[in-house]
């Protein structure tokens, strides 16, 4: 019996991506159409690598929502829901939580702790 196909959660590009969080860079204009095309290539490569790709749109109003890897740290046994350092991003976790809950038991980082999954990826 073949093991189940691995799953990759992605999130569509927010139309507000130009308002994304910046810490160490100067803000420059983001070509949203180009970002959408690049994201489509990324999803296609995941499929080519054998992943079932699930694309979410639950956090469209969050400029950084395409960086879905920041919302949780997922390992075989559990998904740890993050509490992101930027208060403007914390609502993203709520949108992703029900989807992750279909695949893993959930735990969460409690205040005052902060963690972004992309930082430990």
């Amino acid at each position: 019996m073949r093991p189940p196909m691995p799953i990759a959660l992605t999130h569509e590009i927010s139309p507000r991506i130009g308002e994304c969080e910046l810490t160490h860079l100067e803000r420059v204009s983001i070509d949203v159409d180009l970002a959408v095309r690049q994201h489509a290539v990324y999803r296609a490569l995941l499929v080519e690598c054998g992943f079932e790709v699930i694309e979410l749109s639950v956090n469209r109003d969050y400029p950084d929502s395409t960086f879905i890897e920041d919302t949780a740290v997922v390992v075989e046994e559990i998904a740890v829901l993050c509490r992101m350092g930027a208060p403007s991003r914390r609502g993203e976790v709520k949108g992703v939580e029900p989807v992750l809950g279909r695949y893993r038991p959930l735990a969460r980082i409690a205040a005052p702790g902060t963690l972004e999954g992309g930082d430990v990826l």
Side-chain angles (χ1 to χ4, degrees):
M1 176 183 220
R2 275 185 33 196
M5 179 181 285
I7 295 169
L9 297 181
T10 65
H11 197 286
E12 69 179 29
I13 301 292
S14 169
R16 296 181 53 206
I17 194 169
E19 302 167 42
C20 62
E21 289 288 335
L22 287 175
T23 304
H24 304 288
L25 300 172
E26 276 195 48
R27 189 166 301 280
V28 296
S29 179
I30 294 175
D31 183 335
V32 177
D33 292 332
L34 176 60
V36 168
R37 289 192 308 273
Q38 290 171 333
H39 192 62
V41 170
Y42 169 67
R43 288 191 328 270
L45 287 170
L46 287 169
V47 169
E48 189 177 307
C49 289
F51 286 85
E52 174 187 353
V53 176
I54 299 171
E55 172 127 81
L56 304 180
S57 61
V58 295
N59 289 326
R60 283 181 53 80
D61 292 333
Y62 289 94
D64 293 280
S65 59
T66 195
F67 304 107
I68 193 170
E69 67 275 6
D70 286 336
T71 61
V73 174
V74 181
V75 294
E76 191 65 34
E77 303 82 11
I78 196 166
V80 178
L81 300 170
C82 295
R83 182 173 180 271
M84 292 186 252
S88 64
R89 294 200 62 201
R90 292 186 184 150
E92 294 175 42
V93 176
K94 184 178 180 184
V96 174
E97 181 176 355
V99 178
L100 286 173
R102 292 182 212 151
Y103 302 101
R104 299 283 191 282
L106 302 174
R108 67 184 69 249
I109 300 296
T114 60
L115 174 69
E116 294 178 16
D119 292 345
V120 296
L121 185 61

